[in-house]
């Protein structure tokens, strides 16, 4: 059986595959910060060379932002489009990293070996599970079992500004039968998971302006409007004391989870206690009346991602600052419309401004709707079987709290359904200091893709 | 008359005095930031040399922090202690300065010539009004009219940690009949002002800790406690919707202003509209039921001077941060006790913490009580007459919104009453970008001190 030989090849080549991943992780391809645009080019070049080394016709494709990597290879089976992203999140606060985020290492931990470094899990490690599965296929059989288009972007962590124009211009070249996306987590350790719904996202940012200049708090403390107090008051007004978002009309388009889906989720192996305790919480803090899992997968949120203003240095400064800043993101579910929601959030802030306060919005931040996958397609059942074989446990259809707008774009621009399968764990600390990816995820991830390719090719 | 000759000398020497002040302003003696300890030494050395150049026996005196400058000169009249500070506030946000804060310039403005630069008003320019008055006295008469002790510190903007130990150890050397302090403003342009009461100050800072690590807002947004939301909620709870501080027991020790004093203040020339409009406010925003002047001089405050947490860089980051930070200061009046108040503010925060949130306090920040001057001393009437002569307008006894703890220390440690006379204007932007000092303040300030010295010496 060639599948067994391919799986053995993956087992044998794990050290080499790990070395390749470490090499990719050493490239600090932070997409949101213009200071790192050169490493983003470098990461794209690295991927092009790596794909070419397994016989894939790959090239770097320039955009106004960071480049795309596109590769094509022929094969007998169905035409798959595989998507991943080579860019990573910023690393701040750097002081909380226990090792250099861009000098990745394999570490022994109580939970087994892990690869530690920025992007190990999100998404370089996940992306390479698919590439390495293809390499093993090629090594053992001399070819790939399906026709595959590889499509890697470098702006996923910064809103993908070049993605829609690029896909629109290259729609014919990127057409396929189905898209495979490896950028998601398993619902709990060892439980293979296929994402059936993803939350959407709305990003916004505002600056509150108060006095014309920074003021001395001894002279204007009292009669003077303080933008920091104004900011706190407005941010505090976003939620009521039941944990619900208090923005008028926020929940329009939100649907309750159907009972049968709820029952499936309850049996998915998700353990609320472990999920919360692993990051230092002893209890859930969200919207009352909904389980942690439902809050995470099927309820919308408004979260504050950054607040700042005034003096942050050593010592004290008796200042009333001229301005204060807030970065926020909403997670969207159901039929919530990001454009309508942006108006509601902004109206909420504007209605609460004191006289002499003025708000300024950042108009460069995007939004995307929630996505529900077409799980009736036969590929979902084939993948479920392949994953169950590999992990010796039934694979499950799960929701996802995160937002991966690419699935919506594939549908809207290319008419493609997507299947999201990932091997990350909740404790991978993606977007946080000390990000890691379990060697088990990397190894069994490669084996999982080999099995899925085998099933899809044979169908 | 030698006073006329001295005043003429001041007029003639104004360009040279301005040059000397510009030289002192070029030294970036920011005391709160350890990176500037060398410039603080430099500023002290500069002052020692300058005092020596007018025959004053001055020296730099080391402390565990920035040095003191102490000078002595004999004279026939009463023994005065003159206090000022050579350190300055940080300059951030630097981007809002229209010129280099440490490359000061004389500028023509619609309101006359000004000296622009950090410390021009607070307190290098003010300090030099007294030194230059002494220089003119010496130039014209060959001596000073009183026995004077000069005492300049370099930690006023960073809580004066070395001040009390230094004064305690050198109490005999620093004894005098009365202390003169030049670090205050005029109640309105052209109205010479003697401060009769000052607000005290309490500084505090806290960090709110939430999850063990920074989290992905797609995974934990909803069920996860967000320290930024927690911070906003707690900061918003510090005030009620009438502008009163909502901390339990906050107003203990606060007294209403007596009617006769209130009438004096109302006639002090303070113009609420100009005061507010000059910094971009169209109306007062403080405690309802009190005039802007009473809010500023005789009511306590709790102000937020810095808030920060999460991502502040370019673009967006979907993070729930592990911690959030707040710097605050309270202004104290009447008999409010800073130690008791610190407990009340902390208890307010601690009582409002959510489960899984933890607060950590900075225990290195100080407090000082409010101060009321002994205006019955004859020196106050003599100074009032001298100031009225110079400015052709009755000098007034005013309150001050700022906190100058030195007056309390002089009383407690040296048994000295203080008289605070300053020539700053409310629009000097002290502690802010583009700080300035009017040439009129500098010039008439020198002349005012010459007249005051003359009156005190002749009494």
């Amino acid at each position: 059986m060639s599948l067994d030989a391919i799986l053995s090849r993956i087992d044998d080549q794990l050290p080499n595959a790990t070395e390749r991943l470490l090499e990719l992780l050493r490239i600090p391809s932070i997409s949101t910060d213009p200071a790192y645009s050169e490493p983003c080019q470098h990461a794209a070049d690295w991927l092009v060379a790596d794909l070419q080394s397994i016989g894939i016709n790959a090239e770097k494709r320039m955009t106004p932002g960071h480049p795309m990597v596109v590769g094509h290879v022929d094969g007998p089976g169905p035409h798959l489009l595989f998507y991943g992203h080579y860019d990573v999140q910023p690393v701040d606060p750097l002081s909380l990293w226990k090792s250099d985020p861009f000098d990745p290492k394999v570490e022994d931990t109580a939970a087994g070996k892990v690869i530690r470094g920025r992007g190990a899990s999100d998404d370089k490690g996940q992306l390479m599970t698919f590439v390495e599965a293809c390499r093993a296929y090629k090594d053992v059989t001399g070819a790939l079992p399906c026709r595959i288009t590889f499509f890697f972007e470098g702006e996923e962590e910064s809103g993908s500004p070049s993605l829609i124009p690029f896909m629109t211009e290259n729609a014919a070249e990127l057409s396929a039968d189905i898209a495979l996306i490896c950028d998601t987590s398993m619902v709990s350790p060892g439980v293979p998971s296929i994402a059936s719904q993803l939350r959407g996202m709305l990003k916004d940012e505002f600056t509150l302006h108060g006095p014309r200049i920074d003021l001395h708090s001894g002279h204007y403390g009292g009669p003077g409007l303080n933008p920091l107090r104004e900011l706190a008051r407005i941010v505090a007004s976003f939620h009521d004391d039941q944990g619900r978002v208090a923005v008028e009309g926020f929940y329009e388009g939100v649907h309750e989870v159907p009972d049968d889906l709820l029952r499936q989720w309850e049996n998915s192996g998700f353990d609320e206690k472990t999920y919360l305790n692993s990051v230092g919480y002893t209890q859930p803090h969200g919207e009352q009346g909904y389980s942690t899992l439902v809050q995470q997968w099927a309820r919308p949120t408004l979260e504050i991602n950054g607040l700042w203003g005034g003096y942050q240095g050593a010592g004290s400064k008796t200042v009333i600052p001229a301005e204060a800043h807030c970065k926020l993101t909403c997670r969207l579910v159901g039929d919530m419309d990001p454009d309508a929601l942006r108006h509601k959030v902004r109206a909420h802030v504007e209605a609460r401004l004191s006289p002499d306060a003025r708000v300024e919005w950042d108009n460069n931040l995007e939004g995307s709707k929630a996505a529900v996958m077409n799980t009736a397609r036969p590929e979902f059942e084939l993948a479920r079987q392949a994953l169950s074989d590999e992990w010796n446990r039934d694979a499950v259809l799960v929701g996802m709290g995160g937002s991966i707008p690419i699935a919506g774009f594939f549908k809207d621009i290319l008419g493609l359904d997507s299947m999201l399968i990932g091997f990350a764990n909740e404790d991978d600390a993606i977007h946080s200091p000390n990000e890691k990816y379990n060697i088990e995820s990397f190894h069994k991830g490669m084996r999982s893709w080999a099995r899925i390719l085998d099933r899809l090719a044979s169908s």
Side-chain angles (χ1 to χ4, degrees), chain A residues 9-10 31 43 66 70 91 102 107 114 134 155 239 269 292 297 343 354 356 359 390 417 423 428 449 454:
Chain A
R9 176 76 185 171
I10 287 172
S31 59
H66 304 305
V70 179
V91 296
F102 294 113
E107 278 179 27
V114 306
C134 290
E155 302 181 329
H239 294 83
T292 292
W297 290 353
H343 283 111
S354 295
D356 294 339
V359 66
E390 174 59 28
D417 285 329
F423 309 98
D428 279 356
W449 283 122
D454 184 65

Side-chain angles (χ1 to χ4, degrees), chain A residues 106-109 111-115 437-440:
Chain A
V106 177
E107 278 179 27
D108 281 307
T109 72
K113 281 193 197 303
V114 306
I115 301 167
Y437 196 46
N438 293 0
I439 286 283
E440 182 195 45

Side-chain angles (χ1 to χ4, degrees), chain A residues 6 25 30-31 38 98 200 229 272 290 338 370 411:
Chain A
I6 293 161
L25 290 173
I30 300 170
S31 59
E38 175 56 36
K98 292 180 194 124
R229 284 169 50 190
E272 179 185 79
Y290 294 93
K411 187 73 189 174

Side-chain angles (χ1 to χ4, degrees), chain A residues 78-101:
Chain A
H79 185 180
L80 311 175
L81 176 81
F82 180 77
Y83 166 90
H85 65 90
Y86 65 78
D87 63 318
V88 299
Q89 280 274 319
V91 296
D92 65 285
L94 190 57
S95 60
L96 296 184
W97 284 81
K98 292 180 194 124
S99 57
D100 183 338

